Amino acid sequence: MSQSHRIDVKLGGGQIDRTKTLRFTFDGVPYQGHPGDTLASALLANGVRLMGRSFKYHRPRGPISAGSEEPNALVELRSGGRQEPNTRATVAELFDGLEANSQNRWPSLRFDAMGINDKLSTFFAAGFYYKTFMWPKSFWEKLYEPIIRRAAGLGSVTRQEDPDEYDKGFLHCDLLVIGAGPAGLMAALTAGRAGKRVILADEDFRMGGRLNAETFAVGQTAGADWAGATVAELSSMPNVRLMTRTTVIGAFDHGIYGAVERVSDHLLVPAKGKPRQVLWRIYTGRAILAGGAIERPIAFENNDRPGIMLAGALRAYANRWGVKAGERIAVFTNNDDGLRTAADLQGRGVDVVAVIDSREGGDLLPGIRHLRGAEVIDTSGKLNLKSITVRQANGQSETIAVDALGVSGGWNPNVNVHSHQRSRPAYDASIAAFVPGQDGPPGLSVAGAAAGAFSTHAALRTGRDAAIAALDLGTAPDLPQAEDAPTRVTPLWFVHHGKGRAWIDQQNDVTVKDVKLAHQENFTSVEHLKRYTTLGMATDQGKTGNVIGLAVMAELTGRSIPETGTTIYRPPYTPVALGTLAGRSRGKEFKPFRLTPSHHWASEQGAVFVEVGNWLRTQWVPKTGETEWRQSVDREVLATRKSVGICDVTTLGKIDIQGTDAGAFLDRVYANTFSSLAVG
């Protein structure tokens, strides 16, 4: 209840409302948070880092990110008919009365009996299911299939009916902007001021993107404040529609985009008459992808312990939510962005004990120990990180006591939506990452970090220019001053050390060893690698691990990363609930009914109907005193034989086939022979 890991408000209160307190539970234990928190930030503020278990080995896991790319902190929200499994705690907006539970564990999160799988990992290496479940044949139905069914999945599904409603809708605009970071805000502002119909959609409940997680200024004000002022101006424009809590899930044909708006997910119960979620079909002439970039980790032994996170996530929790992930924090980086995390944490009063920089050069931060040319080679701790082992440039090893570690291996442009029509990204060696290719969806351009432009100034500039080019605008608004630091990264994908396991895909427990085994068994194609190891097949769809896996395979095969290739992405961008896809099509609304001319009369007589295709056809009409269907049917048959009956055969539709080959055609589609049937 103490929120022991909140940063002192004097050192940075973040963008939460500390004047109000929200109460929630996690695994039945009560905690407190504030408006503006996510479930993950509130749990971290209360010193809780263990939030889940991995799929295959049931290893203890905590969050590694602060966004929708999160592979570890998956929880079940609510209970009863509203129970929602596999929700990312990093994007679940906190509300008063929120009930959350961990999943994929038994009997508890701290002690999971299925953790024995980790001890038996030798038998569960990549591809073990292909080799194990083939023989003996008789074992399949009696042993293998029941075991697989029990082990499948992460969360549980309620058996109760969902009491909430879901809806679908249609929107039209001149320009759809996907993402409301600096690039997206500038693009929307440019088009909005020109009088164009604009839709700005962002998956977060607060627009601004990384500006909300940083400390640098835009113009003469803080980046988050500039974002707030820009959003306020956009909201005043009648031609601009702002859609927070809205994820664009796919780019489809003819300029159509799918988007899921989480209308009521931040409420205990949806307001009367309001849906929980809406699936929008957006028709647009042009679109700009400004989805930012996703930080990638570095693989090293035991890099999956709770407390090891992406460096940018540590910075976001500190700056946006006023949370320190630990008391003694280190940063392991191969680029300048990791140094920014260390500096920001230090400025928030957090004890940063060391920066482990794999590069020989790099800037030094005053008051922080900087180990150049060093690498983290191992960690210790079971349910929480206790220490890291560092191999220094001279080859000597040192153990450093820390309870949190930020890791930055560089940033990957968020190319997913641009790849939804089979466009393959291109490799950019200057940022050691893939950028959108040349053959993306028609009418879709890319701006900001999603295009590989990582500085704030570059994001603002490319956002403005993309809007001007997309809509053929003549004027260009001035840009506010912003940081324009170059990207300096020296690729380090994984640390070569020992025989331990280094994790790439943390949800599916894919390690560097698994990629090596795939190479050894000749599954070197990126598509084969994905399926043989399950790399990138988790709910994050490879957002955090794919590029590292490709880099490991490239090294093993002696090829470059571009030569190794990359898989492509398909919709949806993030998981979508089946209820959202169904919308109102449930129960009697699942499919339309066709009614015969006699339907209303038969209904008034109390008829029992049967579905015949889309038709409702009368089966029988019970009379008073008849207790079973046979009594009604017998009475109707006898009455018809003795006098007369009426049968509405509207449901027996006819197809009129004419022409000289009608008989031969019917021979091909019907059981009987028609070609020899005489006329008449």
Side-chain angles (χ1 to χ4, degrees):
M1 303 290 285
S2 65
Q3 299 191 55
S4 58
H5 284 64
R6 285 287 184 196
I7 294 174
D8 190 322
V9 67
K10 296 178 182 178
L11 297 172
Q15 298 169 11
I16 56 174
D17 184 358
R18 301 201 190 201
T19 65
K20 298 179 181 178
T21 299
L22 303 177
R23 291 171 173 80
F24 68 102
T25 63
F26 181 61
D27 281 347
V29 179
Y31 297 101
Q32 292 183 354
H34 300 290
D37 265 324
T38 63
L39 175 60
S41 69
L43 286 172
L44 289 171
N46 285 274
V48 178
R49 288 183 290 183
L50 176 62
M51 299 184 195
R53 292 273 177 166
S54 63
F55 174 63
K56 187 164 64 171
Y57 297 139
H58 288 249
R59 285 175 65 90
R61 294 281 166 76
I64 69 168
S65 77
S68 61
E69 68 271 23
E70 176 58 38
N72 289 338
L74 303 182
V75 298
E76 292 179 354
L77 299 184
R78 305 179 179 86
S79 59
R82 290 191 169 95
Q83 180 179 317
E84 179 186 341
N86 300 332
T87 303
R88 297 169 300 285
T90 51
V91 297
E93 192 173 346
L94 193 69
F95 56 82
D96 197 50
L98 174 63
E99 179 183 355
N101 291 284
S102 58
Q103 55 187 34
N104 195 44
R105 82 290 186 273
W106 182 86
S108 70
L109 185 59
R110 294 185 66 85
F111 177 76
D112 182 5
M114 289 301 290
I116 189 66
N117 286 1
D118 195 32
K119 305 295 184 182
L120 303 174
S121 60
T122 302
F123 302 101
F124 296 147
F128 78 95
Y129 27 79
Y130 297 123
K131 306 167 186 175
T132 305
F133 302 133
M134 301 293 290
W135 56 271
K137 185 177 180 180
S138 60
F139 274 32
W140 175 253
E141 291 187 359
K142 296 180 180 179
L143 180 62
Y144 295 148
E145 184 179 13
I147 291 176
I148 293 172
R149 287 188 180 278
R150 280 196 296 269
L154 291 168
S156 60
V157 178
T158 179
R159 297 292 182 176
Q160 301 179 32
E161 183 178 357
D162 187 344
D164 297 328
E165 294 184 351
Y166 302 83
D167 212 340
K168 297 182 180 180
F170 302 85
L171 295 172
H172 299 78
C173 61
D174 298 316
L175 179 68
L176 168 65
V177 181
I178 306 169
L185 288 174
M186 199 67 214
L189 192 63
T190 302
R193 286 176 174 175
K196 301 297 183 179
R197 295 179 303 163
V198 179
I199 293 176
L200 176 60
D202 193 272
E203 64 181 359
D204 204 337
F205 56 87
R206 184 185 181 96
M207 289 187 169
R210 285 298 303 184
L211 292 177
N212 293 324
E214 306 294 353
T215 55
F216 45 71
V218 176
Q220 303 301 315
T221 185
D225 293 338
W226 179 87
T230 303
V231 170
E233 180 179 349
L234 289 170
S235 64
S236 69
M237 298 179 183
N239 55 311
V240 176
R241 183 184 184 116
L242 301 180
M243 301 182 69
T244 57
R245 303 184 180 94
T246 302
T247 302
V248 175
I249 60 171
F252 303 96
D253 293 341
H254 312 301
I256 300 174
Y257 292 80
V260 173
E261 182 181 10
R262 299 177 298 281
V263 179
S264 306
D265 280 5
H266 61 295
L267 304 174
L268 182 62
V269 177
K272 186 177 180 180
K274 294 291 185 179
R276 175 165 293 283
Q277 296 183 358
V278 176
L279 177 62
W280 293 103
R281 180 179 292 188
I282 302 175
Y283 295 79
T284 180
R286 294 290 185 270
I288 296 174
L289 174 60
I294 295 174
E295 196 170 18
R296 60 175 178 261
I298 300 170
F300 54 90
E301 287 188 32
N302 295 306
N303 62 321
D304 65 329
R305 302 191 192 281
I308 301 177
M309 303 169 64
L310 295 169
L314 284 182
R315 189 162 80 242
Y317 285 116
N319 291 335
R320 177 173 174 179
W321 290 288
V323 173
K324 54 182 178 180
E327 298 294 344
R328 288 173 54 84
I329 297 179
V331 175
F332 178 28
T333 185
N334 66 358
N335 65 92
D336 287 352
D337 197 72
L339 304 182
R340 179 181 294 168
T341 293
D344 280 7
L345 293 177
Q346 184 186 48
R348 300 296 184 195
V350 179
D351 184 11
V352 181
V353 298
V355 170
I356 299 95
D357 195 333
S358 63
R359 301 170 297 174
E360 294 293 341
D363 298 332
L364 295 175
L365 299 174
I368 299 178
R369 185 185 180 197
H370 197 134
L371 302 177
R372 290 174 167 174
E375 298 172 336
V376 177
I377 59 175
D378 203 355
T379 68
S380 71
K382 185 176 181 181
L383 300 180
N384 282 295
L385 179 67
K386 299 297 183 184
S387 69
I388 59 174
T389 302
V390 178
R391 181 173 59 202
Q392 299 187 34
N394 59 10
Q396 294 182 344
S397 296
E398 176 185 359
T399 298
I400 302 176
V402 296
D403 57 356
L405 174 67
V407 182
S408 180
W411 291 76
N412 294 326
N414 204 346
V415 302
N416 296 53
V417 173
H418 191 268
S419 297
H420 281 178
Q421 294 186 22
R422 301 197 62 79
S423 172
R424 292 192 177 275
Y427 191 74
D428 185 346
S430 67
I431 58 173
F434 285 93
V435 296
Q438 299 297 320
D439 55 346
L444 177 65
S445 55
V446 190
F454 287 160
S455 75
T456 308
H457 175 77
L460 295 169
R461 175 179 51 79
T462 56
R464 179 197 64 181
D465 294 349
I468 292 173
L471 300 174
D472 195 21
L473 304 178
T475 59
D478 294 333
L479 296 176
Q481 291 183 343
E483 65 84 24
D484 197 18
T487 300
R488 295 190 297 184
V489 55
T490 301
L492 174 63
W493 310 103
F494 69 103
V495 175
H496 297 262
H497 175 75
K499 298 181 179 179
R501 290 172 294 171
W503 307 89
I504 299 175
D505 183 326
Q506 294 199 17
Q507 188 177 124
N508 274 353
D509 286 322
V510 180
T511 66
V512 172
K513 281 187 175 182
D514 291 326
V515 178
K516 290 180 178 179
L517 181 60
H519 170 258
Q520 178 181 328
E521 301 192 357
N522 204 33
F523 289 94
T524 56
S525 162
V526 291
E527 299 292 352
H528 292 161
L529 169 66
K530 175 180 179 179
R531 285 152 183 83
Y532 191 69
T533 64
T534 69
L535 173 66
M537 297 179 70
T539 56
D540 75 323
Q541 286 292 287
K543 293 182 179 69
T544 58
N546 263 12
V547 176
I548 300 177
L550 298 175
V552 174
M553 180 59 75
E555 179 175 309
L556 293 170
T557 57
R559 297 178 295 179
S560 67
I561 294 178
E563 290 172 337
T564 303
T566 179
T567 56
I568 56 177
Y569 300 94
R570 56 176 177 259
Y573 172 68
T574 53
V576 179
L578 292 177
T580 307
L581 296 176
R584 295 180 180 269
S585 299
R586 54 189 289 190
K588 290 185 178 181
E589 305 298 328
F590 178 68
K591 63 179 181 180
F593 289 118
R594 301 186 69 182
L595 306 180
T596 66
S598 64
H599 177 84
H600 295 294
W601 176 87
S603 181
E604 292 171 356
Q605 312 310 311
V608 176
F609 298 99
V610 63
E611 293 184 27
V612 182
N614 287 337
W615 292 97
L616 289 181
R617 186 164 70 191
T618 302
Q619 283 189 294
W620 61 82
V621 183
K623 298 292 185 182
T624 303
E626 295 174 350
T627 59
E628 61 176 3
W629 70 273
R630 185 59 185 265
Q631 292 175 320
S632 303
V633 171
D634 287 349
R635 173 182 49 77
E636 292 177 6
V637 170
L638 292 174
T640 301
R641 284 177 177 266
K642 292 178 180 179
S643 56
V644 65
I646 298 176
C647 179
D648 188 341
V649 295
T650 306
T651 60
L652 303 179
K654 299 294 188 292
I655 301 176
D656 184 16
I657 300 177
Q658 301 182 14
T660 54
D661 294 326
F665 172 73
L666 288 170
D667 287 347
R668 297 175 180 270
V669 299
Y670 197 68
N672 296 343
T673 301
F674 274 85
S675 57
S676 60
L677 185 66
V679 174

